Amino acid sequence: MTTVHALNQHTFASNIHQDGVVLVDFWADWCGPCRAFAPVFEGAAAEHPEIMFASVDTEAEPALASAAKITSVPTLMAFRDGVLVYSRPGALAPAGLHELIESIKALDMNEVRTQLASG
């Protein structure tokens, strides 16, 4: 059973605007680094059931990829309590993804919101 949820243009907003951490992997089938990152992402999903792991196939969802300003795949986005806190292209090694997850979990979201409000 997969622990990674496939998102589309109809389900994306409702899934990223929830409490907790949501990681979204934007990928394409033709992308070698995407295929290499997939098992890393799935492994992290199995280790962190408290986090929603989701993916967007950019070939099947070009409008969503465009709206999210995806210019390179793979791109990983992280949301915490509905706030985008990370967005970068490139595949991560397992240790790098673990470090990213821990740093997102450690964020002070009041401070993040204050920084966003001050521009």
Side-chain angles (χ1 to χ4, degrees):
M1 181 168 99
T2 183
T3 53
V4 178
H5 306 276
L7 300 182
N8 60 44
Q9 65 182 359
H10 305 293
T11 61
F12 185 78
S14 63
N15 280 283
I16 64 166
H17 290 111
Q18 63 180 343
D19 289 341
V21 177
V22 179
L23 296 177
V24 183
D25 174 27
F26 287 84
W27 64 280
D29 191 46
W30 51 262
C31 166
C34 297
R35 288 192 307 272
F37 181 60
V40 172
F41 195 67
E42 290 168 5
E47 291 176 28
H48 296 278
E50 75 283 7
I51 294 175
M52 174 183 244
F53 286 77
S55 67
V56 175
D57 178 350
T58 58
E59 294 294 305
E61 297 293 332
L64 176 54
S66 178
K69 297 180 174 57
I70 302 302
T71 59
S72 180
V73 290
T75 290
L76 184 63
M77 286 186 168
F79 299 85
R80 169 119 181 251
D81 300 336
V83 178
L84 178 64
V85 295
Y86 178 90
S87 179
R88 293 212 177 93
L92 293 172
L97 182 56
H98 176 75
E99 184 177 309
L100 174 64
I101 289 168
E102 293 306 314
S103 68
I104 292 167
K105 288 165 67 174
L107 287 172
D108 179 337
M109 290 309 292
N110 289 328
E111 184 178 315
V112 170
R113 286 186 184 90
T114 299
Q115 290 175 355
L116 288 173
S118 67

